[in-house]
Amino acid sequence: MVILAHYYQEADIQDIADFIGDSLGLAQQAEKTDADMILFAGVHFMAETAKILNPTKKVLIPDLKAGCSLSDSCPPELFKKFKDEHPDHLVITYINCSAGMKALSDVICTSSNARILVENYPEDQKIIFAPDRNLGAYLNKTLGRNMVLWNGSCQVHEIFSLEKITKLIQENPDAKFIAHPECEEPILRLADYVASTTGLLKYTINNEATKFIVATEAGILHQMIKASPEKTFIPAPPDNACACNDCPFMKRNTLEKIYLALKYEQPEILMDEELRLAAKKAIDKMLQQSAAAGL
Ligand code: 13P
Ligand code: SF4
């Protein structure tokens, strides 16, 4: 049995995991594991991806209700209509989506490999990018593309307060402001560095700055502090009374639920075989293209 955990999990869960990573790292671990059983401490689409790659293994998730607002913002039935309205377009889909959406896609990407995967296609290739409009707009802007965007978003990354972050940056001129590309454009425009959770973590390790304002889910700070205990990390504040930003779906998982999931070997991710095979094609393409790019 192997425990795979995303950086947005509670610190105590990260500390018992066999592997902690971002969405791409976790998918790669799921692909190569030889364990009989995977416990996925993350959200549903992540555990589903692990099952798509491992049909004969038992894949457990501590809480079946650990969903994702971004995934929910793109129901496959509605997307199918949208896709039919753009018949000559290739579909690149962010991994934060259901198996039904993956089955409608040509290739899956994550925040670690999205740039590389989009750049693999010629500039005149018509592309639909779904479901995250912020990541899609960021790619269009930085790569000079004109991809058609699905209007979806992550509630956690859209709630950051531009006003409070601007104030924090002014009060901490020595700090680097770093952000996840699921954040909105005005936030990304302020950022010194934009990357996936693994990219942000590496940046804080390798950059000579000793203070960082971090605009993504606050769970990542646990690994940042562990890797660089001498540095200061300030979670970027959301537009509400909280000081930092937690994903309510990721935080449904607890150590107790993990213990019970391992004891009873459930809740288990189950999937229709036809759907699994249809979704697997686009994930395989992502994994192949990522490996070819050295990711
Ligand atoms: P990454 O894991 O690619 O950094 O994405 C963050 C996220 O929102 C996962 O749900
Ligand atoms: Fe979904 Fe956003 Fe939570 Fe990630 S942080 S699981 S994208 S709701």
Side-chain angles (χ1 to χ4, degrees), residues 6 8 22-23 45-46 94 96 111 180 182 196-197 250:
H6 191 270
Y8 294 167
D22 68 359
S23 303
F45 74 80
M46 296 178 171
Y94 193 38
N96 299 35
S111 52
H180 195 280
E182 286 174 28
S196 77
T197 44
M250 287 279 184

Side-chain angles (χ1 to χ4, degrees), residues 159-231:
I159 202 186
F160 286 111
S161 163
L162 184 62
E163 202 182 333
K164 289 184 197 169
I165 291 173
T166 306
K167 193 161 172 269
L168 257 182
I169 293 172
Q170 282 165 358
E171 287 167 358
N172 296 278
D174 53 333
K176 294 281 184 200
F177 174 53
I178 59 177
H180 195 280
E182 286 174 28
C183 296
E184 290 176 305
E185 203 267 338
I187 302 276
L188 296 179
R189 216 181 314 142
L190 284 182
D192 295 302
Y193 189 64
V194 176
S196 77
T197 44
T198 297
L200 296 179
L201 174 61
K202 284 188 185 154
Y203 182 83
T204 63
I205 294 170
N206 298 326
N207 194 277
E208 59 193 18
T210 56
K211 203 188 264 186
F212 300 87
I213 300 165
V214 184
T216 190
E217 212 269 0
I220 184 68
L221 267 71
H222 181 55
Q223 295 304 322
M224 289 178 173
I225 294 165
K226 259 179 129 170
S228 309
E230 74 291 358
K231 297 188 181 181

Side-chain angles (χ1 to χ4, degrees), residues 79 83 89-93 101-108 121 125-128 278-286 289:
F79 184 78
K83 185 181 165 181
H89 287 60
L90 184 107
V91 179
I92 303 183
T93 306
M101 267 301 293
K102 289 184 174 78
L104 292 170
S105 309
D106 293 290
V107 60
I108 299 303
Y121 294 98
Q125 170 67 58
K126 291 180 182 167
I127 298 174
I128 297 175
K280 187 169 184 293
K281 275 194 221 156
I283 299 175
D284 284 344
K285 214 181 265 179
M286 171 187 83
Q289 292 186 20

Side-chain angles (χ1 to χ4, degrees), residues 8 43 68-70 96 154 156-157 182 247 249-250:
Y8 294 167
V43 290
C68 167
S69 64
L70 178 52
N96 299 35
C154 155
V156 179
H157 287 88
E182 286 174 28
C247 170
F249 307 102
M250 287 279 184

Side-chain angles (χ1 to χ4, degrees), residues 68-131:
C68 167
S69 64
L70 178 52
S71 176
D72 290 347
S73 70
C74 194
E77 322 76 66
L78 290 186
F79 184 78
K80 171 81 171 61
K81 283 189 197 149
F82 184 75
K83 185 181 165 181
D84 290 345
E85 287 161 15
H86 301 85
D88 47 355
H89 287 60
L90 184 107
V91 179
I92 303 183
T93 306
Y94 193 38
I95 198 164
N96 299 35
C97 65
S98 63
M101 267 301 293
K102 289 184 174 78
L104 292 170
S105 309
D106 293 290
V107 60
I108 299 303
C109 72
T110 75
S111 52
S112 304
N113 58 21
R115 278 181 81 95
I116 288 167
L117 297 199
V118 171
E119 279 183 313
N120 276 348
Y121 294 98
E123 281 182 20
D124 58 356
Q125 170 67 58
K126 291 180 182 167
I127 298 174
I128 297 175
F129 187 87

